């Protein structure tokens, strides 16, 4: 937590760490920011030492909270911290212990040792006048414990409390100067808030409603679920009042998205709003795309950009320079500047989050427990944070995925086989360990094999938890030995099979600890792979743990109904959450919706309907004087229809399961460049062509959706159905209909994105007329006289619509 200064009361509250230059202590280590010993292993070493000390020394206390208050230049200062260990020596004197883990045979660098000693000395300075000190000298010891081996070295730290006190006062002066500079910058932002204007001369229908509702939610510290049609301008209508409020009230805004295109739009809006240059906006890009090294190997011994990172950052003043020179901090600019200073561009971008008033990034940076920014850690104060979650309907599945790990026998075998190719003793040990993990997974799954010996199945069943935990100690020891070997021989590589297995194993154990009624455990066989799985059916307590600590959270989507489904599964506090439904402002006559009830797409009826669907879809596409996008529930369904489809006027493009970014971009370029409107694109609902992609102008003139796009009937979906039945009494609807119909409406939203756009939406399946499904279609799609008025032949409907449109235009 950052130091807290209150100019009115002249109070300064800070932690011991705030008095240290801890940046110099950190290194870019193998497991992330600070090295693997700062994660599970360092914690385990601390705990083992402390537990033994408690058993052997009746005076020993661990993790002791300390606080010291005093006056500095008219400021009431309070310093607080937590001492690793306190004990009495033979003479009854208080001894402060600072416990640190060190590499096997390694020596602490002088700067690191100095920092550790200063941290321990600060605790002694805080305790010198306490009752615990008993008017005696307070002693300080560094306890250095070898990682892996457990060897312990106890070092006495020489104290000069006068020097310590002077350094504290210097640091306090620096913090107060920085506080005054920040107050000046805040005043500039307050002034900018007063003059901030909507960036467009005219507002679209519905935007005033979003702005007013957002302003009220921010004033009352409420959450808002905004459901509004695609193309209405939800992003600017929410960001405008959010930034105005944030600037006026010293808040930060995070715009969270699932796709790159949405990040582009949010970044552009933030640029438009910042005409006065009063704030800094930042866009984060994934680590792999920000790596300046020849491979993503985040260790200072293998990457020039990680080596002495914090020392180079301190000398270069790079973050200060970037913030001073750039109003919009874009990944390409950060990358170029960081590369010139030979520092990690990704780490620089993360450092800049503390300087930006608005940050645009993926959901992961807020909600994924394994990669989230420190701003969103469980201990972080988010009361000054406003979240805007774009396309929020995607967050339910994403949130489940964060807490649904798996262990694969094939992954364990690959790691074992890779280790076995090495010639050192550690390789033999690791190979044996990996094969033991593979054997445990294989035997657990094989023992549950259903009758008939199928090679693809899944079954809910208890996991071998005791055996998994038993392997944890061997894995920790092997992991440390392996990394030390790799470091000593300078053979560390990216994408190491064993290291990936190790962290997958830890994530799996972590999910076991978290498991309650909202989780299911099951076994799966997929051909030659045997898998242990944990399914998080309800991520609400984890997502809500972030959301409800924020000042306000604004969710944006064209599909947030039923709102209670999203409110509850995203973990929103019902008492603070308000839904907002914005009506479609675009002219009804610009759109024709038609339902082809002559076809059926249920699993049983599909085979006999493939020919008819292919024929009716081809006729529909040929009747459209422009490009057509046709979306299917799955690649298998798409493939069957594509093989039977013959068009007279359209070129047919097909999305393949194996397509990469390059192939997808080629398809988009072809579609956008098809000026004669002669393309029929067959793609999968819920995929890249159906959501989060823009088809400007007349690129699209029709969208066809084949079937309600329900998820496949898997064990996972059945477990979700059972859970939703128990919690909401709406199992089938929530597990199948809601996600399926969300894909349908999202896909249709690609067509009409402005008051000028026109086109036809064709829904191929009689089920769209059934109440179960039609209740999830937008209200404005249903004409007077009811849903059955939409039933018809898509071919004839398209011809009639475009004839009328041509007459109207003429």
């Amino acid at each position: 937590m950052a130091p807290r200064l209150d100019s009115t009361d002249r109070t300064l509250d800070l932690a011991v760490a705030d008095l240290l230059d801890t940046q110099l202590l950190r290194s870019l280590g193998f497991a992330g920011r600070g090295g693997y010993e700062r994660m599970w292993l360092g914690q385990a070493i601390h705990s083992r030492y402390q537990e033994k000390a408690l058993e052997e020394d009746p005076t020993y206390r661990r993790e002791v909270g300390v606080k010291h208050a005093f006056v500095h230049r008219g400021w009431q200062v309070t310093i607080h911290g937590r001492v690793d260990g306190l004990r009495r020596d033979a003479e009854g004197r208080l001894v402060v212990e600072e416990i640190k883990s060190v590499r096997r045979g390694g020596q602490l660098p002088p700067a690191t040792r100095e920092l550790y000693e200063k941290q321990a000395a600060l605790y002694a300075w805080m305790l010198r006048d306490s009752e615990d000190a008993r008017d005696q000298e307070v002693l300080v010891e560094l306890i250095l414990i070898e990682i892996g081996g457990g060897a312990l070295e106890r070092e006495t730290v020489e104290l000069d409390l006068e020097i310590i006190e002077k350094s504290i006062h210097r640091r306090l002066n620096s913090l107060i100067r920085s506080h005054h500079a920040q107050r000046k910058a805040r005043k500039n932002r307050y002034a900018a808030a007063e003059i901030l204007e909507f960036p467009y001369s005219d507002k679209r229908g519905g935007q005033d409603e979003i702005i007013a509702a957002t302003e009220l939610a921010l004033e009352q510290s409420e959450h808002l679920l905004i459901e509004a049609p695609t193309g209405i301008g939800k992003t600017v209508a929410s960001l405008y009042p959010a930034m105005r409020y944030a600037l006026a009230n010293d808040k930060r805004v995070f715009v969270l998205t699932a796709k790159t295109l949405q990040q582009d739009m949010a970044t552009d809006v933030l640029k438009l709003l910042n005409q006065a240059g009063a704030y800094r906006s930042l866009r984060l890009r994934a680590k792999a795309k920000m790596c300046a090294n020849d491979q993503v190997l985040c260790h200072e011994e293998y990457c020039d950009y990680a080596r002495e990172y914090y020392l180079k950052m301190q000398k270069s003043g790079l973050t200060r320079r970037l913030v001073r020179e750039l109003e919009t901090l874009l990944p390409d600019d950060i990358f170029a500047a960081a590369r010139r200073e030979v520092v990690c561009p990704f780490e620089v971008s993360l450092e800049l989050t503390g300087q930006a008033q608005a940050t645009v990034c993926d959901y992961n940076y807020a909600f994924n427990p394994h990669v989230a920014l420190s701003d969103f850690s469980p201990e972080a104060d988010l009361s000054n944070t406003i979240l805007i979650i774009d396309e929020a309907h995607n967050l339910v599945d994403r949130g489940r995925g964060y807490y649904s790990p798996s262990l694969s026998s094939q992954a364990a075998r690959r790691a074992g086989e890779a280790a076995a190719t090495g010639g050192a003793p550690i390789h033999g040990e690791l190979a044996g360990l990996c094969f033991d993990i593979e054997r445990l997974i294989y035997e657990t799954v094989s023992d549950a094999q259903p009758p008939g010996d199928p090679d693809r199945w899944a079954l809910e069943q208890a996991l071998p938890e005791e055996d998994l935990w038993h392997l944890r100690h061997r894995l920790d020891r092997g992991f440390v030995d392996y990394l030390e070997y790799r470091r000593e021989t300078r053979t560390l590589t990216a994408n190491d099979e064993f290291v990936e297995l190790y962290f997958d194993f830890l994530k799996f154990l972590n999910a076991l600890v978290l498991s309650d009624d909202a989780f299911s455990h099951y076994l799966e066989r997929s051909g030659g792979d045997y898998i242990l799985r944990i399914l998080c059916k309800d991520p609400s307590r984890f997502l809500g743990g972030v959301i409800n600590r924020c000042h306000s959270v604004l969710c944006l989507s064209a599909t947030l109904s039923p709102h209670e489904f999203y409110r509850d599964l995203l973990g929103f506090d019902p008492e603070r959450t308000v839904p907002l439904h914005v009506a479609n402002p675009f002219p009804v006559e610009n759109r024709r919706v038609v339902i082809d009830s002559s076809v059926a797409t249920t699993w049983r009826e599909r085979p006999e309907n493939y020919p008819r669907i292919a024929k009716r879809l081809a006729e529909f596409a040929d009747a459209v004087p422009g490009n057509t996008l046709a979306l299917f529930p799955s690649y298998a369904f798409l493939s069957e229809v594509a093989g039977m489809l013959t068009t007279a006027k359209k070129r047919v493009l097909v999305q393949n399961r194996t397509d990469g970014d390059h192939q997808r971009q080629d398809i988009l370029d072809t579609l956008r460049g098809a000026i004669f409107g002669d393309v029929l694109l067959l793609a999968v609902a819920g995929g890249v062509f159906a959501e989060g992609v823009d088809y400007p102008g007349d690129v699209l003139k029709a969208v066809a959706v084949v079937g309600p796009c329900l998820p496949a009937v898997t064990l996972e979906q059945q477990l979700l159905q059972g859970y939703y039945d128990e919690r909401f009494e709406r199992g089938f609807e929530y597990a199948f209909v809601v996600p399926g119909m969300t894909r349908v409406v999202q896909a249709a939203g690609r067509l009409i994105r402005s008051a000028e756009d026109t086109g036809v939406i064709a829904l191929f399946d009689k089920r769209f007329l059934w109440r179960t499904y039609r209740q999830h279609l937008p209200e404005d799609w249903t004409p007077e006289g009811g849903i059955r008025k939409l039933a018809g032949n898509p071919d004839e409907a398209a011809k009639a619509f475009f004839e009328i449109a041509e007459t109207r235009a003429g």
Side-chain angles (χ1 to χ4, degrees):
M1 184 173 65
R4 290 182 293 181
L5 293 90
D6 187 322
S7 298
T8 304
D9 296 333
R10 293 183 69 80
T11 59
L12 199 171
D13 185 62
L14 69 166
V16 166
D18 298 321
L19 298 172
L20 303 168
D21 192 0
T22 52
Q23 298 284 37
L24 295 180
L25 171 63
R26 294 161 62 189
S27 61
L28 298 193
F30 185 82
R33 308 188 79 190
Y36 63 86
E37 61 266 35
R38 296 188 63 223
M39 299 173 71
W40 299 275
L41 299 177
Q43 297 169 10
I45 287 169
H46 274 61
S47 295
R48 283 198 294 268
Y49 170 82
Q50 291 169 330
E51 287 168 5
K52 184 177 180 183
L54 285 170
E55 292 175 2
E56 297 177 351
D57 185 349
T59 71
Y60 188 82
R61 290 178 286 161
R62 68 176 180 181
E63 305 299 332
V64 180
V66 294
K67 186 192 301 187
H68 182 60
F70 59 99
V71 176
H72 172 73
R73 296 178 59 185
W75 288 75
Q76 182 64 42
V77 180
T78 303
I79 305 172
H80 52 85
R82 186 171 296 277
V83 182
D84 288 341
L86 281 179
R87 65 178 179 83
R88 301 276 177 193
D89 69 359
E91 299 177 25
R93 293 175 298 184
L94 194 64
V95 180
V96 173
E97 291 186 348
E98 184 67 21
I99 307 168
K100 299 296 179 185
S101 51
V102 295
R103 284 194 173 111
R104 194 166 47 235
Q107 295 294 318
L108 286 175
T112 302
R113 178 180 293 276
E114 180 182 347
L115 199 65
Y116 287 162
E117 290 178 350
K118 184 176 180 181
Q119 182 176 358
L122 281 169
Y123 289 126
W125 178 81
M126 293 170 67
L127 288 165
R128 73 192 191 285
D129 296 325
S130 67
E131 291 183 9
D132 271 335
R134 299 176 183 172
D135 296 324
Q136 292 180 292
E137 177 186 10
V138 179
L139 307 179
V140 173
E141 290 182 344
L142 267 186
I143 311 297
L144 305 178
I145 306 173
E146 181 185 83
I147 296 175
L152 185 147
E153 184 179 352
R154 191 181 296 271
E155 297 183 2
T156 300
V157 176
E158 298 296 327
L159 291 180
D160 188 327
L161 296 181
E162 185 177 344
I163 291 177
I164 290 292
E165 187 158 339
K166 286 180 179 178
S167 72
I168 291 171
H169 290 301
R170 283 196 300 271
R171 177 61 174 157
L172 292 175
N173 289 338
S174 174
L175 289 171
I176 292 169
R177 284 196 301 272
S178 176
H179 175 66
H180 288 318
Q182 290 171 7
R183 284 188 67 195
K184 183 178 179 181
R186 281 198 295 272
K187 286 183 179 178
N188 292 337
R189 293 196 291 270
Y190 297 159
E194 293 293 326
I195 61 173
L196 190 67
E197 295 182 349
F198 193 75
Y200 301 106
S201 55
D202 296 315
K203 296 189 184 76
R204 291 184 176 181
Q207 286 186 322
D208 277 328
E209 192 177 350
I210 294 173
I211 291 169
T214 300
E215 289 174 340
L216 183 61
L218 292 169
E219 286 294 337
Q220 298 183 351
S221 187
E222 292 179 337
H223 307 312
L224 191 60
L225 304 183
I226 303 171
E227 183 180 54
T230 301
I232 198 175
K234 296 184 288 291
T235 302
V236 66
S238 57
L239 258 176
Y240 164 60
M243 286 308 303
R244 189 169 60 183
Y245 183 88
L247 293 173
N249 293 276
D250 201 24
K251 306 293 184 187
R252 291 197 301 163
V253 174
F254 283 84
V255 184
L256 308 179
T257 78
K259 293 184 173 67
T260 301
L261 179 65
Q262 295 150 5
Q263 293 181 20
D264 292 341
M265 290 189 291
T267 302
D268 290 343
V269 169
L270 286 166
K271 283 184 189 177
L272 283 172
L273 289 170
N274 198 19
Q275 297 301 310
Y279 63 84
R280 298 296 176 264
S281 59
L282 166 70
R283 179 170 176 179
L284 295 181
R285 182 186 285 165
K287 177 189 283 190
K289 295 182 179 179
M290 287 293 281
C291 182
N293 199 20
D294 56 354
Q295 57 180 331
V296 183
L297 189 54
C298 302
H299 196 290
E300 58 184 5
E301 295 184 33
Y302 296 85
C303 176
D304 289 338
Y305 299 91
R307 187 174 299 116
E308 296 183 327
Y309 171 83
Y310 291 102
L311 183 60
K312 288 186 285 189
M313 287 293 290
Q314 187 182 63
K315 289 181 177 179
S316 69
L318 179 58
T319 53
R320 292 190 299 275
R321 188 166 74 247
L322 287 170
V323 169
R324 184 174 64 250
E325 296 175 356
L326 300 174
E327 294 171 4
T328 303
L329 297 154
L330 297 174
D332 287 345
D333 296 328
I334 296 168
F335 185 93
R339 195 167 188 175
R340 285 194 295 270
E341 300 294 343
V342 197
V343 291
C344 173
F346 181 69
E347 288 290 325
V348 172
S349 66
L350 297 188
E351 300 274 347
L352 287 167
T353 60
Q355 306 294 319
Q357 284 71 51
T359 299
V360 180
C361 57
D362 189 88
Y363 297 160
N364 292 341
Y365 291 101
F367 296 112
N368 187 331
H370 308 295
V371 301
L373 299 170
S374 58
D375 305 74
F376 293 93
S377 69
E379 301 80 22
D381 180 7
L382 294 175
S383 60
N384 71 332
T385 300
I386 298 166
L387 294 187
I388 298 178
I389 306 176
D390 201 12
E391 301 296 350
H393 62 276
N394 289 312
L395 187 55
V396 175
D397 280 345
R398 187 80 80 89
R400 277 200 294 260
Y402 295 146
Y403 298 92
S404 298
S406 63
L407 285 178
S408 157
S409 65
Q410 287 188 350
R413 171 157 285 278
R414 285 195 301 269
E417 290 173 346
T421 61
I426 182 61
H427 293 116
E429 294 175 19
L430 292 189
L433 175 56
C434 293
F435 293 143
D436 284 346
I437 294 173
E438 180 202 16
R439 187 178 305 111
L440 173 62
I441 298 171
Y442 172 79
E443 291 177 352
T444 300
V445 178
S446 294
D447 288 347
Q449 180 81 22
D453 200 31
D455 65 356
R456 295 187 182 277
W457 55 269
L459 177 69
E460 186 175 18
Q461 186 164 305
L463 299 172
E465 296 189 32
E466 188 174 337
D467 293 328
L468 291 168
W469 284 107
H470 182 71
L471 286 166
R472 167 68 192 271
H473 178 67
R474 289 177 59 195
L475 264 176
D476 283 348
R477 188 172 64 246
F479 181 67
V480 172
D481 291 344
Y482 180 63
L483 289 192
E484 289 301 307
Y485 168 82
R486 287 292 208 182
R487 185 181 65 84
E488 291 164 2
T489 58
R490 295 194 59 78
T491 57
L492 212 59
T493 59
N495 304 317
D496 187 293
E497 300 275 9
F498 173 72
V499 173
E500 289 183 13
L501 176 65
Y502 175 76
F503 285 110
D504 285 345
F505 200 94
L506 291 184
K507 290 175 184 177
F508 199 84
L509 293 182
N510 185 56
L512 281 178
V513 172
L514 295 173
S515 290
D516 56 14
D517 291 344
F519 286 77
S520 285
H521 300 166
Y522 67 99
L523 314 178
E524 181 180 336
R525 182 178 173 188
S526 179
D529 199 8
Y530 297 75
I531 307 168
L532 309 182
R533 291 195 184 276
I534 297 175
L535 171 64
C536 175
K537 297 174 289 191
D538 182 352
S540 59
R541 69 178 165 113
F542 309 111
L543 302 178
V546 173
I547 286 169
N548 294 315
R549 283 185 287 139
C550 294
H551 174 82
S552 285
V553 176
L554 313 174
C555 283
L556 315 179
S557 178
T559 49
L560 284 180
S561 294
H563 81 267
E564 62 271 17
F565 170 84
Y566 291 99
R567 181 198 66 196
D568 294 344
L569 287 179
L570 294 177
F572 282 92
D573 178 357
E575 298 298 318
R576 291 179 60 198
T577 306
V578 179
L580 172 67
H581 175 77
V582 179
N584 193 329
F586 303 138
V588 175
E589 60 269 20
N590 285 10
R591 177 195 67 230
R592 171 73 162 94
V593 181
V594 57
I595 296 175
D596 188 343
S597 60
S598 74
V599 298
T601 67
T602 63
W603 183 259
R604 291 180 179 178
E605 295 173 294
R606 282 180 190 179
E608 64 190 61
N609 276 266
Y610 288 146
R612 182 169 180 80
I613 292 171
K615 179 177 181 295
R616 304 273 281 190
L617 178 58
E619 292 171 346
F620 170 65
D622 283 337
V624 174
N627 300 319
T628 300
L629 172 65
L631 296 159
F632 294 80
S634 68
Y635 284 101
F637 198 153
L638 185 158
S639 178
E640 292 286 352
V641 173
M644 302 177 183
L645 187 143
T646 303
T647 60
K649 301 178 182 179
K650 293 287 192 288
R651 290 179 290 156
V652 179
L653 302 179
V654 179
Q655 178 188 10
N656 294 305
R657 190 190 303 271
T658 56
D659 284 352
D661 290 343
H662 181 71
Q663 290 87 350
R664 287 193 287 267
Q665 190 59 50
D666 283 347
I667 290 175
L668 280 175
D669 290 343
T670 301
L671 192 67
R672 289 167 177 164
I675 57 176
F676 298 110
D678 61 344
V679 170
L680 167 60
L681 171 58
L682 308 183
V684 173
V688 65
F689 297 112
E691 294 187 36
V693 64
D694 198 18
Y695 299 103
D698 288 332
V699 169
L700 271 189
K701 297 305 288 183
V703 170
V705 185
V706 181
C709 299
L710 306 188
V713 181
T714 63
L715 175 62
E716 180 173 318
Q717 291 304 128
Q718 290 172 328
L719 292 171
L720 290 174
Q721 180 179 354
Y723 179 79
Y724 295 153
D725 256 332
E726 185 175 341
R727 181 173 177 187
F728 304 109
E729 297 183 349
R730 298 168 78 171
F732 179 73
E733 180 185 3
Y734 280 5
F736 290 95
V737 178
V738 169
M741 294 302 291
T742 294
R743 294 190 188 115
V744 171
V745 178
Q746 285 288 329
R750 301 311 96 198
L751 185 62
I752 307 294
R753 302 177 66 87
S754 74
E756 291 73 39
D757 291 339
T758 60
V760 177
I761 299 165
L763 307 179
F764 287 79
D765 194 313
K766 61 186 178 183
R767 284 180 290 173
F768 286 114
L769 297 176
W770 299 358
R771 185 180 182 280
T772 301
Y773 301 92
R774 71 176 186 242
Q775 66 180 342
H776 294 284
L777 294 173
E779 292 179 4
D780 59 289
W781 285 16
T782 303
E784 291 185 17
I787 192 76
R788 296 197 173 275
K789 288 267 188 180
L790 298 180
N793 185 329
D795 169 21
E796 295 173 0
K799 289 176 180 176
F801 175 81
F802 288 110
E803 284 176 7
I804 294 172
E806 186 177 351
T807 302
R808 190 184 304 129

